[in-house]
Amino acid sequence: RGLREAGQLTDGFAANASRTLEANLERLYGAWSDPALRALWLGNAPVEVTRSTDGKSMRMTWTAGGSSIDVNFYPKGADRSQVKVQQTRLKDRNAAEKQKSFWGGALATVVATPCTAPFMGSALGFALSQPTWKVRCQPPTIANSELSRSSQR
């Protein structure tokens, strides 16, 4: 008893994330089940859908490492729904923490407006794959330069 670490299961570690969104269940499920829509907010994450039940759940494999991902969908009223993600069979606590951060960011990106979702997904994917010092040292973005120009007017 008490020999496992937090988040540790019998076959590895687990990472969990959930989010309640201002979208009906059909729309939320569609953002996950349609590969083109999923690519807009999840970028090129190495996932492969292995099984799905319309409007209820999906099972995926994280192909870079072979971990399993369970995604469950819940209605929370007419125009609200919740998604819960659990990724299991991760090799250690560090991998679990990294994936927990990834899924937290990915679920935040789902709620982005359609015009920014492709850029946010790519930016998030890049940021998560880089060392902290490199992300903090990136040059100013176009948006920042536009803000500074408008404040000078």
Side-chain angles (χ1 to χ4, degrees), residues 7 9 11-16 45-51 58-71 85-92 94-100 102-103:
L9 305 173
D11 59 350
F13 286 78
N16 299 289
V47 297
E48 179 183 307
V49 177
T50 57
R51 182 174 48 95
M58 297 182 87
R59 163 110 357 141
M60 306 168 110
T61 299
W62 188 269
T63 57
S67 59
S68 298
I69 305 163
D70 290 316
V71 185
V85 178
Q86 182 178 46
Q87 186 169 354
T88 57
R89 295 178 35 205
L90 297 165
K91 65 180 180 173
D92 57 31
N94 290 337
E97 288 299 321
K98 182 178 177 183
Q99 289 310 107
K100 182 175 182 161
F102 173 82
W103 288 114

Side-chain angles (χ1 to χ4, degrees), residues 80-139:
R80 289 173 51 97
S81 50
Q82 182 181 41
V83 59
K84 291 185 177 184
V85 178
Q86 182 178 46
Q87 186 169 354
T88 57
R89 295 178 35 205
L90 297 165
K91 65 180 180 173
D92 57 31
R93 184 173 31 175
N94 290 337
E97 288 299 321
K98 182 178 177 183
Q99 289 310 107
K100 182 175 182 161
S101 293
F102 173 82
W103 288 114
L107 295 180
T109 305
V110 170
V111 302
T113 60
C115 61
T116 60
F119 304 111
M120 289 179 68
S122 300
L124 181 63
F126 172 79
L128 291 173
S129 68
Q130 301 301 310
T132 304
W133 67 268
K134 191 171 185 180
V135 174
R136 290 185 180 158
C137 296
Q138 292 300 310

